[in-house]
Amino acid sequence: MHKRPIRIEPSILSGDFGRLADEAKRLEDAGADGIHIDIMDGHFVPNLTLGPRAAAAINRATNLFLDLHLMIYNPFDYIEKFVESGADRITFHFEATEDVDDTLAFIRRCGCKAGLAFRPETSYAMIQKYLYQSDLILIMTVSPGFGGQKFMPEMLEKIRLTREYCDRNRIRQGGIIAKPEIKSDALPPFDIQVDGGINEETGKQCVEAGANVLVSGNYLFSQPNLKQAIHNLRSSV
Ligand code: DX5
Ligand code: ZN
């Protein structure tokens, strides 16, 4: 059984875009561990959402950890703008650039945590080498682009393999390798995030497979009471 602390980072994509600052405050009051903002460019994914100015406005409205999920081509070119918007973590897609290493390193040099996301069709074999140079791996559990899609159970195997690889190689949070003389669980675990179709049932499956950071949009925002919904999700996993 898992004993990893779980973070819940709701996706504001399913919130009311006419009241983003209020929605951010609502998430904070409801006990979220962070706020996940989906940035889409209409090219890497067939949808357009928000840019750095909107992210900055959301950030001003809350003290929550700001998690930006960039679904855009050439992410390197936009990193500085998103850093200025107050991001705590910037995650971009493996499939969106040929400069994965440089982009990860640049995000870290800017003082942010660096995450790397993988589309469902990208194989697990691509993930391993980046565990040593990222702060988080995002395993997409739907095809990126839209909220409210159905969870893909085939992704559970990818999560499992990633967690097993981390455990076997003593890779802990931030890609740090635990020295042989210390117990590896003396350091916090490597962060594996899942995003897409997460609810109480699929969240539990993902956590059992090894995920410890859950993004959830449609499921949380469609409930009458956001605080209760976050509480329920937390206690179900
Ligand atoms: C999809 C986005 C998700 C989305 C998840 O491309 O990356 O963050 O908001 O939403 P749900 O939980 O509705 O699938
Ligand atoms: Zn997302």
Side-chain angles (χ1 to χ4, degrees), residues 36 38 69 71 195:
H36 178 93
D38 291 300
H69 176 193
M71 285 158 274
D195 182 11

Short mmCIF file of all heavy atoms in Angstrom, two decimals, residues 36 38 69 71 195, ligand 2:
data_model
loop_
_atom_site.label_atom_id
_atom_site.label_comp_id
_atom_site.label_asym_id
_atom_site.label_seq_id
_atom_site.Cartn_x
_atom_site.Cartn_y
_atom_site.Cartn_z
N HIS A 36 -3.91 24.36 -10.86
CA HIS A 36 -3.36 23.89 -12.14
C HIS A 36 -3.99 24.71 -13.26
O HIS A 36 -5.21 24.74 -13.40
CB HIS A 36 -3.71 22.40 -12.27
CG HIS A 36 -3.28 21.73 -13.53
ND1 HIS A 36 -2.07 21.05 -13.65
CD2 HIS A 36 -3.90 21.57 -14.73
CE1 HIS A 36 -1.98 20.52 -14.86
NE2 HIS A 36 -3.07 20.82 -15.54
N ASP A 38 -4.15 25.34 -17.31
CA ASP A 38 -3.86 24.75 -18.62
C ASP A 38 -3.66 25.85 -19.65
O ASP A 38 -4.55 26.63 -19.91
CB ASP A 38 -5.02 23.84 -19.03
CG ASP A 38 -5.10 22.61 -18.15
OD1 ASP A 38 -4.12 21.85 -18.13
OD2 ASP A 38 -6.12 22.43 -17.45
N HIS A 69 0.57 24.14 -16.75
CA HIS A 69 0.69 23.01 -17.68
C HIS A 69 0.67 23.58 -19.10
O HIS A 69 -0.39 23.93 -19.61
CB HIS A 69 -0.49 22.05 -17.43
CG HIS A 69 -0.54 20.89 -18.37
ND1 HIS A 69 -1.65 20.08 -18.49
CD2 HIS A 69 0.37 20.39 -19.25
CE1 HIS A 69 -1.42 19.15 -19.39
NE2 HIS A 69 -0.20 19.31 -19.87
N MET A 71 0.65 23.45 -22.87
CA MET A 71 0.40 22.59 -24.03
C MET A 71 0.63 23.47 -25.26
O MET A 71 -0.31 23.84 -25.97
CB MET A 71 -1.03 22.03 -23.97
CG MET A 71 -1.16 20.91 -22.94
SD MET A 71 -2.86 20.68 -22.37
CE MET A 71 -2.90 21.88 -21.06
N ASP A 195 -3.29 13.66 -14.89
CA ASP A 195 -4.17 14.75 -15.32
C ASP A 195 -5.10 14.23 -16.41
O ASP A 195 -4.64 13.77 -17.47
CB ASP A 195 -3.28 15.89 -15.86
CG ASP A 195 -4.05 17.11 -16.31
OD1 ASP A 195 -5.26 17.20 -16.03
OD2 ASP A 195 -3.42 17.99 -16.94
ZN ZN B 2 -3.62 20.01 -17.42
#
